[in-house]
Amino acid sequence: MGDGTATVEDLDVRLERHRTELTGYCYRMLGSSFEAEDAVQDTMVRAWRSYERFEGRSSLRSWLYRIATNVCLDMLSAGNRRARPMDLTESTPLAQAALCPRPDSTWLEPMPDARVLPTTDDPAEAAVAKESVRLAFMAALQQLPAKQRAVLILREVLAWRASEVAELLDTSVASVNSALQRARATLAERAGEGAGAAVADPLDAGQRQLLERYVAAFEGYDMTALTALLHEDAVMTMPPFDLWLRGTADITGFMTTLGSACAGSRLVPVAVNGLPGFAQYKPDPDTGGFTAWAVQVLETSDGRISGFHCFLDTKRWFPLFGLPLQRDGEAGQID
């Protein structure tokens, strides 16, 4: 494996086979879609440059994870932890609502499933992978010190043995087990946040019906119908703004006041963070069509919507999902 005889094409193909899973790993580590992709690209470049020194003492996959871990630890050395609005402030009553943006580097970022979830024939493995990129779990990971984060992801999500993780991190099995125990304790303290947001894969009939009713209520801007679909203590967030709202009255009140320009919007389904989501296009009076407005990520539990997260930086998010910023529309439809 390390004899340096692989052709350029062979090595490129072998490295690319690991891109999706490495992107998922770096995304869980960093909490940022774009930083994760940068980290994986850096990993690939480092692997390419040092391949002739790779002597096959471990598998190519393990070696790539070692490089990716070092890249992520270097990127996390500044100590920045990405967050959701509810991790930073208390909820705001509608009467005091103000839209105050924070820098991009503040926020936990959304990610298309296809970029971080490798295809697998193992339903249990697929379920763990999806659970581990959901917003609540990602936010909990951000509370862990960087090396604990790596240990937890490698052991709990990727099912590496403690000895394999110890080798990757150049530490002892006892140290890995200790870090895992501390990481689990931290996550247990946050277990109630976003709990119960599990979604069947594929969606069951009840979940599909809930999403169909949500689309009809949102596109019709029917607040009575929307209220019936939300948990009483549902939350709504809108990064890059730090404002977040709790409860049906404040959410629908916001949508009919500060958010009233979203009336008449159209929704396009997207697979995001292991959860149902939609790309929202709102009416564009200048063109008569629709313009990108938000990537929505929905958390559901017990047959209702518990979280409604709108990522508004459309010039960043829509291209990531392969979606146009503008759409034509006639007779209430979009192309």
Side-chain angles (χ1 to χ4, degrees), residues 16-52:
E16 283 299 318
R17 286 183 190 137
H18 299 281
R19 182 176 291 274
T20 300
E21 65 170 309
L22 286 172
T23 304
Y25 176 62
C26 293
Y27 175 59
R28 295 177 185 100
M29 285 291 292
L30 301 169
S32 164
S33 320
F34 296 102
E35 287 184 1
E37 297 202 329
D38 287 347
V40 172
Q41 195 57 36
D42 191 2
T43 297
M44 296 298 188
V45 170
R46 293 190 192 189
W48 177 260
R49 288 176 177 168
S50 58
Y51 184 74
E52 288 194 1

Side-chain angles (χ1 to χ4, degrees), residues 2-335:
D3 60 7
T5 60
T7 66
V8 170
E9 293 79 7
D10 287 344
L11 183 55
D12 280 342
V13 169
R14 294 176 65 203
L15 294 177
E16 283 299 318
R17 286 183 190 137
H18 299 281
R19 182 176 291 274
T20 300
E21 65 170 309
L22 286 172
T23 304
Y25 176 62
C26 293
Y27 175 59
R28 295 177 185 100
M29 285 291 292
L30 301 169
S32 164
S33 320
F34 296 102
E35 287 184 1
E37 297 202 329
D38 287 347
V40 172
Q41 195 57 36
D42 191 2
T43 297
M44 296 298 188
V45 170
R46 293 190 192 189
W48 177 260
R49 288 176 177 168
S50 58
Y51 184 74
E52 288 194 1
R53 298 195 301 274
F54 172 54
E55 298 177 354
R57 289 174 297 202
S58 62
S59 69
L60 178 64
R61 180 173 182 256
S62 297
W63 183 59
L64 288 171
Y65 269 94
R66 175 188 284 268
I67 298 171
T69 299
N70 289 332
V71 170
C72 289
L73 292 177
D74 287 345
M75 293 174 73
L76 290 167
S77 62
N80 180 49
R81 295 179 178 181
R82 290 177 177 266
R84 303 169 299 170
M86 64 274 280
D87 300 321
L88 302 178
T89 65
E90 296 296 321
S91 60
T92 305
L94 179 60
Q96 299 170 20
L99 296 176
C100 302
R102 296 201 189 192
D104 290 340
S105 59
T106 306
W107 303 116
L108 185 64
E109 297 178 348
M111 180 65 108
D113 285 1
R115 289 181 179 253
V116 293
L117 299 178
T119 54
T120 175
D121 295 327
D122 184 340
E125 184 180 316
V128 169
K130 278 199 166 189
E131 289 285 351
S132 67
V133 294
R134 291 187 178 151
L135 294 175
F137 185 80
M138 290 286 297
L141 282 178
Q142 295 294 302
Q143 301 303 309
L144 300 175
K147 285 194 175 179
Q148 282 187 32
R149 202 179 306 176
V151 167
L152 184 92
I153 296 166
L154 291 165
R155 292 281 286 120
E156 302 277 90
V157 178
L158 301 177
W160 285 39
R161 295 190 296 270
S163 58
E164 294 173 321
V165 178
E167 183 178 354
L168 182 146
L169 294 173
D170 291 323
T171 189
S172 66
V173 169
S175 178
V176 166
N177 289 337
S178 176
L180 179 60
Q181 187 176 13
R182 294 195 302 275
R184 283 172 171 166
T186 299
L187 263 59
E189 293 173 3
R190 298 174 58 94
E193 303 176 29
V199 178
D201 183 22
L203 298 177
D204 63 33
Q207 291 165 345
R208 289 196 303 272
Q209 184 182 54
L210 173 64
L211 295 179
E212 289 167 1
R213 292 172 64 198
Y214 170 76
V215 170
F218 192 93
E219 291 190 343
Y221 232 59
D222 183 339
M223 295 301 116
T224 300
L226 187 62
T227 296
L229 303 179
L230 297 174
H231 279 283
E232 288 185 7
D233 61 349
V235 299
M236 179 181 182
T237 68
M238 293 161 282
F241 301 114
D242 58 12
L243 170 74
W244 66 282
L245 303 163
R246 184 187 294 277
T248 54
D250 279 356
I251 291 173
T252 57
F254 178 88
M255 291 176 66
T256 53
T257 53
L258 292 175
S260 60
C262 290
S265 290
R266 295 294 176 261
L267 301 179
V268 176
V270 294
V272 53
N273 285 87
L275 293 164
F278 297 94
Q280 177 193 345
Y281 290 86
K282 74 172 186 175
D284 185 341
D286 295 331
T287 66
F290 295 85
T291 189
W293 186 247
V295 170
Q296 301 181 1
V297 184
L298 302 187
E299 294 172 328
T300 67
S301 62
D302 301 324
R304 289 192 177 187
I305 295 166
S306 55
F308 172 47
H309 307 289
C310 303
F311 294 89
L312 302 180
D313 192 349
T314 53
K315 289 183 179 178
R316 301 179 77 215
W317 305 131
F318 276 57
L320 188 70
F321 284 82
L323 294 168
L325 294 174
Q326 302 289 331
R327 285 191 178 238
D328 297 328
E330 293 180 6
Q333 300 298 318
I334 62 176
D335 64 352

